[in-house]
Amino acid sequence: KAGVTQTPRYLIKTRGQQVTLSCSPISGHRSVSWYQQTPGQGLQFLFEYFSETQRNKGNFPGRFSGRQFSNSRSEMNVSTLELGDSALYLCASSSTSGSQETQYFGPGTRLLVL
Amino acid sequence: GENVEQHPSTLSVQEGDSAVIKCTYSDSASNYFPWYKQELGKRPQLIIDIRSNVGEKKDQRIAVTLNKTAKHFSLHITETQPEDSAVYFCAASRSGTDKLIFGTGTRLQVFP
């Protein structure tokens, strides 16, 4: 099976712009979670989606949003970008939600906000 | 609130020595504790996990122990090798969610 894929891999934006990141889970996986990784804050949970429904949301401002499609692919959107949004955005997939099955991470999208 | 503390932040060992990384969690409802290894520029990869109904789990050179009463869990790597050099993250979650609360990471360096 192909692993979790994320596009794009690298992105440069300027303050005030918006960005959309995409995550394709492992085939058959229905749960997708998103994390932000920065040197200062480490790995922080953003959202969790299962069957097109957001099941959980982390402590991020409303500028961060996400969604999941019927084929389990997920997107996250960040509007009105700030310098502090520069980070590696990782998504992870598992076959079901909340069953404590292994979550497999994608390679991440590295976002730089100038 | 939910929090996972991880120590030490850096750890240097000689090849062949053992390495121990410790984590403490705050949410008493946490019952799943995975450990991820992240090499430079790569994605985090699960190396071992433990559930709260088990006190210890071992997989070759890697072992994890869990003390539910103290809310502590630890990663033990024996006979370390240079390829073990990476950042290791502990995490905790509770039933009904995939949300992982991560520790701050430990940078392990194994010198030949």
Side-chain angles (χ1 to χ4, degrees):
Chain A
K1 278 186 183 177
V4 179
T5 58
Q6 292 186 243
T7 57
R9 293 293 310 281
Y10 304 93
L11 208 47
I12 300 176
K13 293 285 188 179
T14 56
R15 278 180 299 173
Q17 287 186 310
Q18 72 154 8
V19 67
T20 299
L21 312 181
S22 179
C23 172
S24 293
I26 291 172
S27 177
H29 283 194
R30 297 168 59 197
S31 178
V32 174
S33 297
W34 288 88
Y35 295 85
Q36 181 195 65
Q37 185 173 27
T38 60
Q41 299 297 317
L43 280 154
Q44 291 190 295
F45 172 79
L46 281 157
F47 326 97
E48 173 189 354
Y49 287 91
F50 179 73
S51 292
E52 302 177 66
T53 301
Q54 185 180 91
R55 296 199 57 176
N56 226 325
K57 189 177 192 301
N59 296 324
F60 280 82
R63 301 184 297 106
F64 291 80
S65 62
R67 59 178 175 169
Q68 187 180 33
F69 301 94
S70 59
N71 62 356
S72 296
R73 189 177 70 84
S74 177
E75 288 182 347
M76 66 164 282
N77 184 277
V78 187
S79 62
T80 319
L81 283 165
E82 300 179 359
L83 296 179
D85 296 334
S86 295
L88 180 67
Y89 290 89
L90 292 159
C91 74
S93 78
S94 67
S95 57
T96 61
S97 176
S99 298
Q100 299 172 346
E101 296 187 16
T102 301
Q103 292 188 55
Y104 296 89
F105 280 86
T109 294
R110 189 166 295 281
L111 172 65
L112 177 62
V113 182
L114 301 175
Chain B
E2 302 161 318
N3 187 45
V4 174
E5 294 187 1
Q6 183 172 346
H7 298 281
S9 56
T10 60
L11 181 58
S12 296
V13 300
Q14 206 72 34
E15 182 177 1
D17 287 350
S18 294
V20 180
I21 302 170
K22 299 181 178 182
C23 290
T24 304
Y25 61 98
S26 62
D27 183 2
S28 55
S30 296
N31 56 6
Y32 174 63
F33 307 92
W35 286 86
Y36 283 86
K37 174 184 180 182
Q38 187 175 29
E39 297 176 72
L40 189 63
K42 296 194 175 179
R43 69 190 78 189
Q45 290 195 305
L46 180 77
I47 55 171
I48 196 167
D49 58 12
I50 191 167
R51 290 166 176 77
S52 61
N53 58 345
V54 175
E56 184 173 358
K57 184 177 178 180
K58 191 173 181 181
D59 182 4
Q60 299 183 350
R61 297 187 296 110
I62 295 172
V64 57
T65 58
L66 172 65
N67 182 330
K68 282 183 62 179
T69 304
K71 297 183 190 173
H72 287 168
F73 57 113
S74 300
L75 177 72
H76 304 251
I77 306 175
T78 58
E79 302 172 23
T80 54
Q81 301 166 2
E83 50 266 38
D84 294 330
S85 297
V87 179
Y88 291 81
F89 292 95
C90 62
S93 77
R94 52 164 67 184
S95 295
T97 178
D98 276 0
K99 175 182 177 181
L100 293 172
I101 305 299
F102 281 92
T104 49
T106 296
R107 182 173 300 278
L108 173 65
Q109 288 185 299
V110 181
F111 293 98

